[in-house]
Amino acid sequence: MSQPEAKPAAVPGATFTLTDDETGKSWKLPVLEGTVGPKTIDVRKLYDETGMFTFDPSYTSTASCKSRITYIDGDKGLLMHRGYKIEELAEQSTFLEVAYALLYGDLPNSTQYDEFVHNVTYHTMVHEQLHFFFRGFRRDAHPMAVMCGVVAALAAFYHDSLDIWDPEQREISAHRLIAKLPTLAAMSYKYSIGQPFMYPRNDLSFSENFLYMCFGVPAEPYKINPVLARAMDKIFILHADHEQNASTSTVRIAGSSQANPFACIAAGIASLWGPAHGGANQAVLEMLEQIGHKDNIPEFLRKVKEKQDNTRLMGFGHRVYKNHDPRAQVLKKECDAVLKELGVNDPHLELAMELERIALSDPYFIDRKLFPNVDFYSGIILKAMGFPTSMFTVLFAVARTVGWISQWKEMIEEPALKIGRPRQLYTGATERAYTPIDKRK
Ligand code: ACO
């Protein structure tokens, strides 16, 4: 059951030789390897020894940390959490089981699971005063803007779990964040539509409770649809973690300064918001609406290929996956199930499938290894379930909080935590004399 210790170990006898062509001087750099995946050149002493930095502005070739949580092989379309394939987790697990595995390293046995569910469930309410906090926002505020604010504000309410060096406080913060994010997400939705906040119901599962808080109203009973609750749970599982993506790296770098976990997760939410990351699911639906009809696909793809106005086929392409995104395949199947259950005949689904079919046979997308990513179909399901597009990224944040807090915890538990501090390749002005304002042209 238990997973192997992450090494990383120096590969015996393997070094990487770096030669300065100008001086002919060379250096041998150690080569590290993890349990699986590409070997890694250890450049930690490079600057001290050579006086040179490495240049990798978007981290396309940089391993920013070592981690035991999630592994992706982008060429094979493989995603594993703690060694378990995402397809199996999505089919057989619950979101809280996956959350446990991400946080603690292994799937729980039934006693551990019951205890974990209990711990998370009994943190689902938020401080009553947080309700008033919402009223400071305009009704038409984007719920992600609200989430950035209210999640950061949690640090102002839970002073008893801010000491990052105390394992028990870290644990409570993790449980609080996983439990309260759905409550805050549902509140941001209710606030935007002017309906009363629904207090969480601890007799429901994580996903059932979330649907209840979003779609229930005090005036009448809310009936859980098990197909939708299972779909919600799967969507959460599929978005739970994704190794060192932009928002996770943001959480890690914020945490490396020893900021409290609520502040770090709020930073992650801000990073997730962008359309190149978690905001893509909203952008996919907006794109489908803009295309409108199958007949308009060729014209739209012409704009994409000519890079007119930076138009992109949203929900396509991924920094790491160059074959397929395994999450997209699970979601496409789930999409059919949800639409069938709801009896929804969404023209967007047909349009998306046609767009996918045409793009996958077009040399532009084939040559650049662009495939549908997790966001391509998630918006269609979420819309069918009743969520407005502005909530899509919020739901992503609810799920990804588990990955963020697991990665944060792993980092804090490292024996020697060092602040993240990249360097730069300076291309600005060299030293020059100050000119008084009356002498400037
Ligand atoms: N549509 C059209 N062309 C694209 C797309 C796309 N969706 N994605 C990449 N390309 C093209 C680029 O224009 C570039 O072409 P070029 O070689 O002619 O210059 C080439 O493919 C490589 O693209 P990069 O931007 O360098 O790839 P990168 O790894 O930096 O970007 C990203 C990955 C941001 C996901 C990109 O594919 C994209 O913008 N996709 C659309 C947004 C999206 O769906 N984001 C969700 C990502 S998944 C997630 O966060 C959950």
Side-chain angles (χ1 to χ4, degrees), residues 276-277 280 304 307 312-316 319 364 368 373 375:
H277 192 8
V304 169
K307 304 187 197 299
R312 286 203 164 193
L313 177 49
M314 298 311 286
F316 255 65
R319 172 61 62 80
Y364 174 95
R368 289 169 179 77
N373 60 47
D375 291 320

Side-chain angles (χ1 to χ4, degrees), residues 62 106 113 119 153 169 193-194 203 207 239 253-254 282 305 323:
T62 294
D106 226 330
Y113 182 63
N119 288 342
Q169 294 196 31
I193 56 171
D203 59 320
S207 294
H239 289 83
I253 205 136
Q282 173 172 350
K305 291 190 283 185
N323 178 314

